[in-house]
Structures are given as C-alpha cells and as structure tokens.
C-alpha cells in the first residue's frame, strides 16, 4: 500500500472493480478498498454480484432447472430416468466453488493489472483524502487525485418481518438453505422473489409469494408480464397479489405470517420466510461530514449524468446512485468514469440498459414498454412472434413465450424489445446492439439470421412490425 494514488475506488463490486481495472489499464496508480468478508471470514472481492447476488443465484437457478427438467421434462422428449434425487449440500458446494473461482479471479485481475487491493473500510474525507481502516482496526490516511465511490446496496428490511438467524431471511440467507424446506413464503414478487422462489419451488418446496401491488411486474411490458404470470403459476408458484404483510411471528421452527387482502386478514404458516422487497443504497460510514458529497432525497449518492458527485474529483457508480440496480449498469458507469478521468469522452446510454429475470422461461427486455408509450401518447407499431412457431424452440421442447418489438410509427426506429422465452437473456443482447446503433425494425428484418435458431423469433417479430413475418399469418392492418 502506498499513501498516494491517482485513483482510490471504494467498493469492489462490479461497479468498483471494473472502474479500478480500467483506471489501471489507462496507466493510473489505483487502489481498490473493500470490506467484505466471505463465509470463512477471509476478505473477498466481487461485492454483492459475485458473492451473494447474480452468480450464486444463477448457479442455483441453473441447477434447480436441470433437476426440474430431469423430473418433469425428460419424459416428454423420450428420455426415461429413474428416481431423481436432490443433494442440496452438493448443490451449495458447487455454487460456493463457482463463487470462489470468480472472486479469486478478480484478485488475479487486480494483480495482473497492478491494482492494489486494500481489505477493510474506506471513508471519504475532504479533498480526496480517504481514511482506510483494515480488518485489524489499523487506520491509515491515503491521498488520491480522484476517488470513485462504489459501495453498492443492501436488502431493505421491513418492520413486520425482522430477520432471524435462519427462519426469516433476506436473499443472502435464501441462497444458503441446507435442505429443501417444505413451505417457503416470499415477500415481494420482484426479481429476487421470482428467481429464488423458482429455485425452491423447483426443488420441491410449496412456495407462496405475497406481493403488495395489485399488478404483476409493472416494470415489464404488460403482455409479457401477463404471459409470465400464467407460466409461473402453472409451474406451481402461488403468487398472491394485493397483499400487505402485517406481521411474522416465529413459533418453534415455523413462521406465521399475517397479511391483509382486499377481503380481510389472512395468515400463512411457512418453514422459511424470504424477505425480498427491494434493496437500498449503502452509505453507512462512507462519508465524513465535510466530504462534500451529497445524498438525494431517497438516500442515493447524488450524481450528474456523468456520475460526478458534488465534490470535486469524486465520482459515484453502481447501485449507490440513481438508475436500475443491475451489475452491468454499474460496470458501464465504472468504466465510463475511469475513461473520463483519463480524458476520454464516453457516455452511458441509460436508454439501453437490458433487464433480465432468470426464471424459466426467462423474461428480458430493453427500452420502452407498450404501456409507457401509450401513456406518453407516442405513436408506435408492434410486431410479435411466438416461440410456438419457431422451429428451434419446438425442437428443443421450449416453445413457450414470444418476442415483441415496438417501433416508432413514423421513423420505424426500434423503441423497445420484450422477450419471454428460452434464452431471452441472450436474445435481448441482439436488441441492445440494434438499439445502440439506432436500428429500425426494417434494418433487423433485412438482417440474415441462422436457421434454426431461437433468434429467428427476433427476426420474425421485426418483420412483423411491417406486417410481413413469414412464418405466421400477419394481421391485416385495420382499414
Ligand atoms: P456491490 O456489488 O454491492 O459491491 C459493493 C462493495 O462495496 C461490497 O463488497 C461492499 O462490502 C463494499 N463496501 C461498501 N461500503 C464500503 C466501504 N465504506 N468501504 C469498503 N468497502 C465497502 N444484477 C444483475 O445485473 N443481474 C443479476 O442476475 C442479478 N442477480 C442478483 C441476485 C441477487 C440475489 C441480488 C441480491 C442481486 C442481484 N443483482 C443482479 C444485483 C447486483 O448484484 C447489483 O446490482 C450489483 O452487485 C451492484 O454492484 P455495485 O458494485 O454497485 O455494488
Ligand atoms: P424489486 O424491486 O425487484 O421487487 C420488490 C417487490 O417487493 C416489488 O414488487 C414490491 O412491490 C414488493 N414489495 C415491497 N414492499 C412490500 C411489502 N411490504 N409487502 C409485499 N411486497 C412488497 O426488488 P428485489 O426483488 O428485492 O431486488 C432488488 C434489486 O436487485 C432489484 O433492483 C433488482 O434489479 C436487483 N436484482 C436483479 C436481478 C436480475 O437482474 N436478474 C436479480 C435479483 C436482483
């Protein structure tokens, strides 16, 4: 550790570590401070995403999907298997191994790029000075030319459901169950509720999801959300919309949850309760009173479009600033800030941030939803194509869902792409590229796609915008 750096980054999640690596690549002397400890008590890099978020949840989603396929899907395609059994400790061990490999990978990337990893807490003082406290409590003052704050977010807690050691848990606890609970309650039918609810439902738990809103996935396109709700319910998720949890009481090894619906009070007994009602920016201990950095009214670090805070040469990126709490959004911000410090002029295109919910089928989108365009009175046209008419989806026994493309009525510029279907997360990337290059639906329609692929559904939906998809009968425009 030196006492003077060109750049000090606080937080080594996907926003902070990407910023640190890019700064070092651009020739800046860089340190990255992170306070996270793994389950073995040793320092870990990678933040929420690698340790308690994207990666472990996807390891369990993939494993549980394979289990569900072996149980219910293989027979449909002519594969007979004997009794399929689940080995939860082994599944968890593999998840932990994937996590360890990736967090160790960040350590290697820091070393390879010359980033100093400093394990402990960072606090921003005034004038780009940083107070670093290591895990033994030793305090060192470090000076930097520029500071990038990337402290991330933590789960929101709500008064009716205080967390316990292992019965009422947040998303982190829900990634650690040592056996399959008989009954799981989930509060919140958002991204985490659906993903982790799906994991335990596939592994055999009875899962009830209590959601305060009357509407399911209001941020997704209405039609996609409607199809996804039907599909999730068919898979066995009991999703109760318009329910407000009022209390959760632990009784022995179970939890009694009381909630209100429009018809009155109801209750539910579960073996595990997962609280997944959102995340909040984490800024505890981050800022000295005279740091010059301000918070907005919702507790996020206040930044402009270029992620600059109110303090000179101090930037903030990732979950701790406005915008969607997504790993890739933070990474793009971190890289943009590093490049701007080096004098380049990139921008983050906030209109092109893809969202994915890793259920099965997956839900993915980028850009505007139809309901958004309706409410802003923008004129648009729509093309949609069902996977039920896509050869590859049928061949793979994955023909549920559709692709929907929305384009400007006059210019034909693509405004939004919404996919509910197999590998939607991969397919939406094509839409992001098209939108980054300001493509029209016609441009996509004139592009050649390999056959047979799931992506042909994107092609057909683009052709459908102009009313000439080939593999379905197009609706005649109203006269
Ligand atoms: P974080 O990843 O939260 O990292 C911040 C780091 O800073 C942490 O290690 C923290 O300990 C450290 N820190 C904080 N304060 C200090 C301090 N003062 N000093 C030193 N260190 C400090 N997003 C996706 O895009 N795709 C997904 O599939 C996805 N799945 C998810 C699944 C789950 C269960 C959860 C919980 C989240 C998921 N997310 C997903 C969200 C994603 O994890 C976050 O958007 C992302 O991690 C945010 O990155 P970040 O760098 O801003 O912060
Ligand atoms: P979320 O905002 O996606 O969903 C929270 C849900 O809880 C909402 O539907 C909300 O209406 C509901 N809710 C809030 N208070 C409630 C209450 N008292 N009772 C019942 N329902 C209530 O938040 P999340 O699922 O916790 O995820 C947090 C963040 O992590 C999200 O911003 C998300 O972007 C990110 N994340 C992303 C992914 C992914 O990209 N695949 C996966 C997991 C998490």
């Amino acid at each position: 550790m030196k006492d003077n750096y060109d750049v000090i980054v606080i937080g080594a999640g996907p926003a902070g570590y990407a910023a640190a690596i890019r700064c070092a690549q651009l020739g800046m002397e860089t340190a990255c401070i992170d306070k996270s400890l793994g389950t073995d008590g040793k320092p870990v890099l990678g933040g929420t995403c690698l340790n308690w978020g994207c990666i472990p949840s996807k390891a369990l989603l993939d494993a549980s999907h394979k289990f569900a396929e072996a149980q219910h899907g293989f027979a449909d395609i002519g594969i007979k298997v004997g009794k399929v059994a689940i080995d939860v400790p082994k599944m968890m061990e593999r998840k932990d191994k994937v996590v360890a490999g990736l967090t160790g990978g960040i350590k290697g990337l820091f070393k390879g790029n010359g980033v100093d990893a400093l394990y402990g807490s960072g606090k921003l003082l005034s004038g780009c000075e940083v107070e670093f406290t290591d895990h033994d409590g030793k305090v060192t003052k470090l000076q930097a030319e520029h500071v990038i704050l990337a402290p991330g977010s933590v789960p929101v807690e709500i008064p009716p459901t205080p967390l316990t050691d292992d019965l009422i848990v947040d998303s982190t606890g829900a990634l650690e169950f040592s056996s399959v609970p008989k009954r799981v309650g989930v509060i919140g039918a958002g991204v985490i509720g659906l993903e982790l609810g799906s994991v335990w439902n596939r592994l055999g738990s009875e899962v009830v999801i209590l959601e305060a809103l009357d509407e399911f996935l209001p941020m997704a396109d209405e039609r996609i959300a409607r199809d996804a709700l039907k599909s999730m319910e068919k898979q066995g998720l009991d999703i109760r919309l318009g329910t407000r949890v009022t209390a959760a009481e632990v009784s022995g090894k179970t939890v009694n949850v009381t909630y209100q619906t429009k018809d009155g009070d109801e209750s539910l007994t579960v073996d595990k309760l997962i609280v997944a009602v959102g995340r909040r920016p984490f800024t505890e201990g981050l800022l000295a009173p005279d740091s010059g950095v301000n918070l907005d009214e919702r507790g996020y670090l206040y930044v402009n479009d270029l992620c600059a805070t109110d303090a000179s040469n101090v930037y903030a990126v990732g979950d701790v600033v406005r915008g969607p709490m997504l790993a890739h959004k933070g990474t793009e911000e971190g890289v943009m800030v590093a490049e701007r410090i080096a004098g380049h002029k990139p921008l983050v295109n906030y209109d092109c941030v893809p969202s994915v919910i890793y259920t099965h089928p997956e839900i993915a989108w980028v850009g505007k939803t139809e309901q958004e365009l309706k409410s802003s009175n923008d004129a648009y046209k729509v093309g949609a194509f069902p996977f039920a008419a896509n050869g590859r989806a049928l061949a793979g026994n994955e023909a549920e869902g559709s692709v929907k493309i929305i384009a400007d009525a006059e210019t034909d510029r693509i405004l939004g792409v919404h996919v509910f279907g197999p590998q939607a997360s991969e397919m939406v990337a094509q839409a992001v590229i098209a939108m980054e290059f300001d493509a029209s639906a016609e441009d996509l329609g004139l592009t050649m796609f390999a056959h047979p692929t799931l992506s042909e559904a994107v092609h057909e939906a683009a052709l459908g915008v102009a009313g000439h998809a080939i593999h379905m009968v197009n609706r005649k425009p109203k006269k």
Side-chain angles (χ1 to χ4, degrees):
M1 174 173 56
K2 310 190 327 159
D3 51 14
N4 224 304
Y5 286 94
D6 292 327
V7 181
I8 294 178
V9 182
I10 301 182
Y17 78 66
I21 290 172
R22 191 68 192 116
C23 284
Q25 285 173 347
L26 288 161
M28 293 175 251
E29 297 263 19
T30 307
C32 185
I33 303 176
D34 196 287
K35 67 178 182 55
S36 285
L37 297 173
T39 38
D40 57 2
K42 294 203 178 119
V44 283
L45 301 172
T48 306
C49 170
L50 263 53
N51 292 286
W52 307 282
C54 320
I55 299 304
S57 60
K58 267 76 242 177
L60 294 186
L61 277 157
D62 282 346
S64 60
H65 176 60
K66 289 188 168 110
F67 175 68
E69 278 282 277
Q71 264 195 322
H72 314 295
F74 283 4
D76 290 349
I77 56 171
I79 301 175
K80 282 189 188 168
V81 283
K83 194 171 160 16
V84 186
I86 193 89
D87 181 346
V88 176
K90 175 83 190 161
M91 200 178 271
M92 294 296 169
E93 193 187 306
R94 189 195 78 95
K95 169 200 63 129
D96 294 342
K97 214 165 147 190
V98 173
V99 167
L102 286 167
T103 56
I106 302 297
K107 211 172 170 182
L109 287 171
F110 274 6
K111 205 164 167 219
N113 284 287
V115 176
D116 279 358
L118 307 183
Y119 299 108
S121 298
K123 179 189 230 171
L124 179 70
L125 311 178
S126 65
C128 279
E129 197 178 13
V130 173
E131 183 183 279
F132 168 61
T133 308
D134 72 14
H135 287 296
D136 297 324
K138 185 166 171 255
V139 179
T140 313
K141 297 252 172 88
L142 306 170
Q143 186 61 49
E145 292 290 319
H146 302 267
V147 174
I148 303 175
L149 304 171
S153 63
V154 289
V156 167
E157 291 182 37
I158 50 173
T161 57
L163 302 188
T164 67
D165 274 353
D166 71 338
L167 290 177
I168 306 179
V169 298
D170 59 16
S171 57
T172 305
L175 294 166
E176 299 295 340
F177 297 161
S178 53
S179 59
V180 180
K182 187 165 177 325
R183 298 158 302 180
V184 173
V186 182
I187 307 182
V191 193
I192 293 181
L194 292 176
E195 289 188 356
L196 295 182
S198 293
V199 165
W200 295 107
N201 174 53
R202 290 169 192 168
L203 296 180
S205 304
E206 292 159 23
V207 178
V208 177
I209 305 185
L210 303 172
E211 165 59 49
L213 299 177
D214 292 326
E215 204 184 332
F216 181 67
L217 290 182
M219 64 284 205
D221 187 84
E222 256 167 21
R223 176 178 158 180
I224 297 282
R226 202 174 53 233
D227 291 350
L229 177 61
K230 256 195 236 152
S231 173
M232 302 296 122
E233 289 181 333
K234 212 168 102 198
Q235 290 169 37
L237 289 174
D238 179 349
I239 300 170
R240 302 183 189 172
L241 301 173
T243 56
R244 203 171 69 82
V245 174
T246 48
E249 220 172 86
V250 172
S251 161
K253 291 246 166 261
T254 61
V255 185
N256 297 319
V257 186
T258 320
Y259 59 94
Q260 288 174 343
T261 70
K262 61 179 177 1
D263 301 322
D265 283 353
E266 299 198 22
S267 69
L268 175 75
T269 300
V270 293
D271 304 295
K272 299 276 184 194
L273 181 64
I274 304 171
V275 183
V277 294
R279 294 178 65 81
R280 64 174 174 85
F282 179 75
T283 54
E284 268 101 86
L286 179 73
L287 303 172
D290 59 351
S291 70
V293 173
N294 292 309
L295 271 60
D296 70 16
E297 65 287 350
R298 293 165 63 216
Y300 291 83
L301 296 186
Y302 176 75
V303 289
N304 66 12
D305 285 353
L306 303 175
C307 293
T309 69
D310 288 336
S312 177
N313 287 357
V314 179
Y315 307 84
V317 293
D319 279 10
V320 80
V321 302
R322 82 283 173 269
M325 286 185 167
L326 295 171
H328 42 281
K329 174 261 192 187
T331 299
E332 291 304 308
E333 289 178 335
V335 169
M336 172 193 70
V337 165
E339 300 218 353
R340 285 204 163 248
I341 292 173
H344 307 303
K345 303 275 179 230
L347 291 170
V348 170
N349 182 356
Y350 290 101
D351 292 334
C352 272
V353 181
S355 294
V356 179
I357 306 179
Y358 294 83
T359 46
H360 192 86
E362 294 175 342
I363 306 162
W365 69 92
V366 57
K368 301 267 189 219
T369 61
E370 190 167 351
Q371 65 267 25
E372 274 176 312
L373 291 165
K374 248 185 216 154
S375 69
S376 55
N377 281 326
D378 288 315
Y380 61 88
K381 42 194 183 167
V382 174
F385 192 81
F387 286 105
N390 172 276
R392 185 67 190 272
L394 287 161
N397 202 29
E398 300 254 36
E400 194 178 355
S402 60
V403 177
K404 171 172 171 179
I405 296 184
I406 310 176
D408 186 287
E410 207 179 312
T411 64
D412 196 40
R413 185 169 160 244
I414 299 170
L415 302 174
V417 176
H418 305 270
V419 188
F420 174 54
Q423 297 179 41
S425 55
E426 302 296 336
M427 262 179 283
V428 81
Q430 304 166 16
V432 177
I433 295 169
M435 287 174 68
E436 272 290 345
F437 286 89
D438 267 341
S440 62
E442 185 187 29
D443 289 328
L444 257 190
L446 288 169
T447 306
M448 198 185 297
F449 285 67
H451 175 75
T453 55
L454 297 169
S455 302
E456 284 175 295
V458 175
H459 188 220
E460 292 276 4
L463 292 171
V465 171
H468 52 78
I470 299 295
H471 293 91
M472 68 173 199
V473 178
N474 297 277
R475 262 197 236 143
K476 294 223 165 52
K478 283 185 197 130
K479 290 208 172 125

